[in-house]
């Protein structure tokens, strides 16, 4: 288990100095202003895992043809959504970038055979800054964004994570940000934010949880064929693919540790996992 830190320092339970890799569900952009269980959990997660030297974040909201690394010295806060309460658009996450780390990430990806690119103008979309605003509100830890490739599937993203594994030796937090379930076609205005989860959502989440905690990687890679209601809960894959980056970066024997589970709107599972 990950325990809460003391005095801003991580409490280690093993001799390893490496951070776990982490997958968080970022939910609706308004989650950061809402009184929901996932928000309360994320507000304590940074203290629980401690302070990394830097954060490499893979968000479901940045897709490119090839893996692309953001190299900006001061990444801008991107409000990539419409129709939400006005206070949300006033929020900023002015964390510094880390160009040197970004170039290193590009090098690791290219050494692993990926046609990696760089983007000096890319900022932090809400999949990146919303959970980080809760986890590390001081915004003083360097953040580097990395894109995903929505059409290339889980195995591709596990391989990307595997290429990034050396970063953990330097206490870089590899953070995947997406959603454990994500079928927005079910959303209706006025739906109770704390509505009971749909049975098929629970069935899918339960299958995934068991496979993650048991380390059944082959089954996870084939989740769209094996997991119940997989396509119903993920009509497209981009919100689950960051989980596979985090899984790959933790090593071939990694298993998931379930840190949080809750549901909003009845169809968005807000689960968080750590991988070691």
């Amino acid at each position: 288990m990950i325990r809460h830190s003391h005095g801003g320092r991580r409490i280690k339970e093993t001799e390893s100095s490496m951070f776990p890799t982490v997958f968080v569900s970022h939910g609706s952009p308004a989650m950061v202003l809402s009184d929901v269980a996932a928000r309360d959990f994320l507000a304590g997660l940074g203290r629980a895992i401690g302070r990394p030297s830097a954060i490499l974040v893979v968000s479901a909201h940045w897709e490119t043809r090839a893996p692309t690394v953001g190299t900006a010295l001061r990444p801008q806060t991107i409000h990539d959504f419409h129709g939400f309460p006005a206070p949300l658009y006033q929020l900023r996450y002015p964390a510094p970038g880390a160009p040197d780390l970004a170039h290193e990430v590009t090098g690791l990806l290219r050494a692993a055979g990926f046609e990696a690119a760089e983007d000096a103008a890319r900022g932090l979309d809400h999949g990146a800054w919303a959970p980080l605003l809760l986890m590390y509100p001081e915004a003083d830890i360097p953040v580097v964004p990395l894109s995903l490739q929505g059409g290339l599937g889980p195995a591709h993203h596990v391989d990307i994570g595997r290429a990034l594994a050396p970063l953990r030796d330097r206490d870089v937090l590899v953070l995947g940000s997406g959603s454990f379930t994500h079928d927005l076609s079910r959303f209706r205005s006025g739906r109770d934010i704390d509505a009971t989860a749909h049975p098929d959502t629970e069935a899918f989440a339960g299958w995934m949880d068991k496979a993650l905690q048991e380390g059944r990687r082959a089954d996870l890679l084939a989740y769209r064929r094996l997991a119940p209601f997989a396509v119903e809960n993920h009509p497209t894959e981009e919100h689950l693919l960051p989980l596979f980056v985090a899984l790959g970066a933790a090593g071939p024997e990694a298993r998931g540790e379930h840190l949080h589970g809750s549901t909003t709107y009845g169809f968005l599972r807000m689960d968080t996992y750590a991988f070691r």
Side-chain angles (χ1 to χ4, degrees):
M1 294 289 292
I2 291 177
R3 298 176 182 169
H4 287 279
S5 59
H6 175 73
R9 295 182 65 83
R10 189 165 42 137
I11 297 176
K12 298 175 183 176
E13 299 203 21
T14 69
E15 295 181 357
S16 171
S17 64
M18 293 191 295
F19 266 71
T21 64
V22 176
F23 168 77
V24 298
S25 297
H26 60 251
S28 161
M31 186 265 293
V32 298
L33 301 177
S34 303
D35 183 17
V36 293
R39 182 192 184 281
D40 293 342
F41 167 76
L42 288 173
L45 181 58
R47 293 189 301 274
I49 63 178
R51 180 185 173 89
S53 62
I55 300 166
L56 178 69
V57 60
V58 183
S59 165
H61 292 276
W62 189 20
E63 296 184 66
T64 59
R65 183 190 63 81
T68 303
V69 187
T71 62
L73 183 61
R74 298 195 175 279
Q76 297 296 307
T77 302
I78 304 173
H79 297 89
D80 53 332
F81 43 79
H82 304 281
F84 286 88
L88 199 58
Y89 298 90
Q90 306 306 313
L91 295 177
R92 298 290 185 274
Y93 193 73
D100 289 345
L101 173 62
H103 297 322
E104 180 180 353
V105 169
T106 304
L108 289 171
L109 292 170
R110 289 175 177 170
F114 293 99
E115 184 186 340
E118 295 183 343
D119 185 339
R122 179 69 185 185
L124 302 177
D125 59 64
H126 80 270
W129 66 258
L132 290 176
L133 181 67
L134 297 170
M135 293 170 63
Y136 299 106
E138 297 84 1
D140 58 353
I141 300 172
V143 179
V144 171
L146 171 65
S147 71
L148 54 79
Q149 291 68 62
L152 295 186
H156 168 84
H157 290 86
V158 166
D159 288 344
I160 284 187
R162 185 177 296 120
L164 303 173
L167 299 176
R168 297 180 62 218
D169 290 325
R170 302 195 345 256
D171 277 349
V172 174
L173 172 60
V174 178
L175 178 68
S177 177
S179 187
F180 207 50
T181 60
H182 192 260
D183 177 13
L184 295 187
S185 69
R186 302 184 185 198
F187 185 80
R188 299 291 184 273
S189 61
R191 183 189 293 271
D192 182 2
I193 196 170
D194 293 319
T196 301
H198 296 284
D200 64 282
T201 297
E202 291 291 84
F204 173 78
W207 186 95
M208 287 291 295
D209 177 67
K210 196 168 189 292
L212 287 165
Q213 296 205 53
E214 293 176 355
R216 290 169 17 222
R217 187 161 299 197
D219 288 350
L220 289 164
L221 293 177
Y223 84 94
R224 288 185 86 73
R225 178 170 55 86
L226 298 178
F229 306 106
V231 176
E232 289 83 353
N233 283 283
H234 286 283
T236 56
E237 289 193 279
E238 77 286 336
H239 271 76
L240 196 60
L241 293 177
L243 180 148
F244 289 100
V245 178
L247 176 63
E253 304 301 322
R255 297 187 176 208
E257 179 182 354
H258 192 208
L259 303 184
H260 174 76
S262 63
T263 308
T264 59
Y265 304 111
F267 65 88
L268 283 180
R269 280 291 301 234
M270 299 296 295
D271 299 54
T272 290
Y273 285 84
F275 300 98
R276 299 182 185 276

